[in-house]
Amino acid sequence: MDCSGPNGSKYRVIQLHPTRRCNLSCLHCYSSSSPQNGDSLSPHVLTQALQVLSEEGFNVASISGGEPLLYKPLFEVLRFARSLGMTVTLTTNGMLLNEALLSQLAETAHLLAVSLDGVPASHNRMRAHPQAFEKMARNVKMVRDAKIPFGFIFALTLYNLDELAWVANFATEQGATLLQVHPLEEEGRARQELQGAAPDEEELAHTFVEVARLQALYSGKLAIQFDAADRQSLVADPSRAFAMSPVAEPASLPLSSLAAPLVLEHDGALTPFQYGVSRDYRIADASQPDFRDQVASWKTDGYPRLLDLCSRVYAHKMDPRHYRYPFFNWYSAVLRESKQEQLVQIA
């Protein structure tokens, strides 16, 4: 995993969640999206935020949801992101794709990411829909025919590692270029429906071995990314986990060099790293006219607090008394600590 710290990836990602409307009510949904949830941002808010964040050095716009294909101004936003020179990716459950949408996606998206939760029965159960897999798989053929680069995202739980080999084989057969293995986050609906199902550190260690085997097996055919932090790498370079002192004169630096990835949530909140991080660490509110000024103020006022949070997580996770295995979910650990601090303040 690349935490995208100061010495991390060249890609600086802003994750956009323009709506919580979705055609499904998936068990593992971190944002509690559903057909009944109409929360969304105006395209004006999104494009203005993208303008500022592009100027701040972010070069990848990753659109998720909810189901972004249900967001009516979607292609207006995608075209604007491309006009800024940003790489555009879109995550979808794949069920609503059709030739008309794919024609527009071919012009506006550099990569399509399709959610895949295991073998067909497991996928349908997680998606709470009896034909979720069949509809998605049928539409993936159209994606391939449209020559849009695409990949799959697999939500790893405590119980489905045995299905990863099937997922990798399916992805290769479909012509995918990427498979992302992302540990389940017990946020949103998943906190109620899948409590205790997030993979523990032992499961992450087993997953690392399996991912390495599959990477060798599909070398040159399928890139496989595993979203887990390696303690050894973080010991060698703590800045990859933002466990560091603030840089000198942060106000003079682009936001992307201070914190990435960032998340723009459905209500305009710009937060660091992951959907659901406590609003105590919010960078700015994109729905407000002074968004640019808020970003500038955060560099001085909020940035040191974020590094302090990350340093506390780092100290705990690197303490040998608190672990037995070499891998952990860094993003989730930061999210948990931010929420725990909030609970302590409330108490």
Side-chain angles (χ1 to χ4, degrees):
M1 179 197 116
D2 190 345
C3 294
S4 295
N7 300 316
S9 170
K10 65 180 180 180
Y11 297 109
R12 294 292 188 252
V13 179
I14 171 66
Q15 299 173 4
L16 305 175
H17 296 260
T19 182
R20 288 206 295 175
R21 188 182 176 206
C22 188
N23 56 310
L24 297 175
S25 297
C26 300
L27 302 184
H28 59 356
C29 183
Y30 52 79
S31 64
S32 298
S33 298
S34 72
Q36 295 76 38
N37 199 325
D39 295 341
S40 64
L41 285 172
S42 75
H44 174 73
V45 168
L46 287 170
T47 54
Q48 291 300 303
L50 282 170
Q51 179 69 56
V52 172
L53 294 172
S54 174
E55 295 169 6
E56 291 287 346
F58 289 89
N59 55 13
V60 178
S62 179
I63 298 35
S64 187
E67 171 52 61
L69 295 178
L70 288 174
Y71 182 65
K72 291 184 178 180
L74 173 65
F75 294 104
E76 174 186 344
V77 175
L78 298 189
R79 290 188 179 92
F80 184 81
R82 287 199 63 145
S83 75
L84 297 172
M86 303 181 83
T87 297
V88 175
T89 71
L90 184 139
T91 300
T92 174
N93 59 48
M95 294 177 65
L96 302 179
L97 292 168
N98 56 44
E99 290 184 358
L101 288 171
L102 287 168
S103 176
Q104 294 187 78
L105 287 169
E107 299 174 353
T108 54
H110 294 93
L111 177 70
L112 197 63
V114 182
S115 300
L116 175 59
D117 298 316
V119 300
S122 296
H123 183 88
N124 291 344
R125 181 172 60 253
M126 190 71 84
R127 298 276 150 183
H129 191 289
Q131 293 183 306
F133 178 84
E134 290 75 12
K135 290 185 176 182
M136 176 273 291
R138 181 175 64 245
N139 291 341
V140 163
K141 181 181 184 301
M142 291 194 296
V143 176
R144 186 171 61 247
D145 292 343
K147 302 188 185 308
I148 301 174
F150 71 97
F152 289 99
I153 300 177
F154 173 70
L156 177 73
T157 73
L158 189 60
Y159 311 110
N160 66 357
L161 176 57
D162 60 321
E163 299 184 27
L164 182 56
W166 185 93
V167 167
N169 182 67
F170 177 81
T172 304
E173 288 179 343
Q174 300 306 308
T177 59
L178 173 69
L179 172 60
Q180 181 180 356
V181 181
H182 186 76
L184 170 73
E185 302 292 346
E186 292 184 25
E187 282 294 304
R189 188 175 298 110
R191 188 164 56 243
Q192 286 76 44
E193 300 291 345
L194 296 173
Q195 187 173 17
D200 57 20
E201 293 189 8
E202 180 179 2
E203 194 70 4
L204 294 179
H206 289 301
T207 303
F208 174 82
V209 174
E210 178 66 351
V211 166
R213 183 185 75 84
L214 294 171
Q215 286 173 332
L217 181 63
Y218 294 106
S219 178
K221 298 179 181 178
L222 181 70
I224 304 178
Q225 174 184 326
F226 180 34
D227 295 340
D230 175 1
R231 281 187 167 89
Q232 185 174 358
S233 296
L234 296 185
V235 167
D237 184 4
S239 72
R240 288 170 61 91
F242 298 87
M244 52 186 281
S245 299
V247 299
E249 300 183 6
S252 66
L253 298 175
L255 180 61
S256 61
S257 68
L258 302 178
L262 301 184
V263 179
L264 186 61
E265 298 193 16
H266 65 279
D267 60 354
L270 182 67
T271 58
F273 308 142
Q274 178 142 316
Y275 190 101
V277 166
S278 169
R279 296 301 171 84
D280 290 342
Y281 293 91
R282 184 179 67 183
I283 295 169
D285 183 349
S287 68
Q288 299 302 311
D290 63 342
F291 177 66
R292 188 187 300 272
D293 293 337
Q294 291 180 57
V295 169
S297 296
W298 182 86
K299 293 178 184 180
T300 301
D301 302 329
Y303 167 62
R305 291 187 62 240
L306 179 63
L307 295 189
D308 182 64
L309 170 69
C310 294
S311 294
R312 293 199 306 274
V313 172
Y314 181 89
H316 178 79
K317 287 294 185 179
M318 295 301 115
D319 187 333
R321 295 174 297 176
H322 299 147
Y323 70 88
R324 294 175 52 198
Y325 300 97
F327 303 97
F328 70 100
N329 187 337
W330 182 82
Y331 291 118
S332 182
V334 171
L335 187 154
R336 296 276 85 74
E337 178 65 20
S338 76
K339 293 288 186 68
Q340 183 61 38
E341 181 180 82
Q342 188 178 43
L343 290 173
V344 169
Q345 290 175 351
I346 293 173

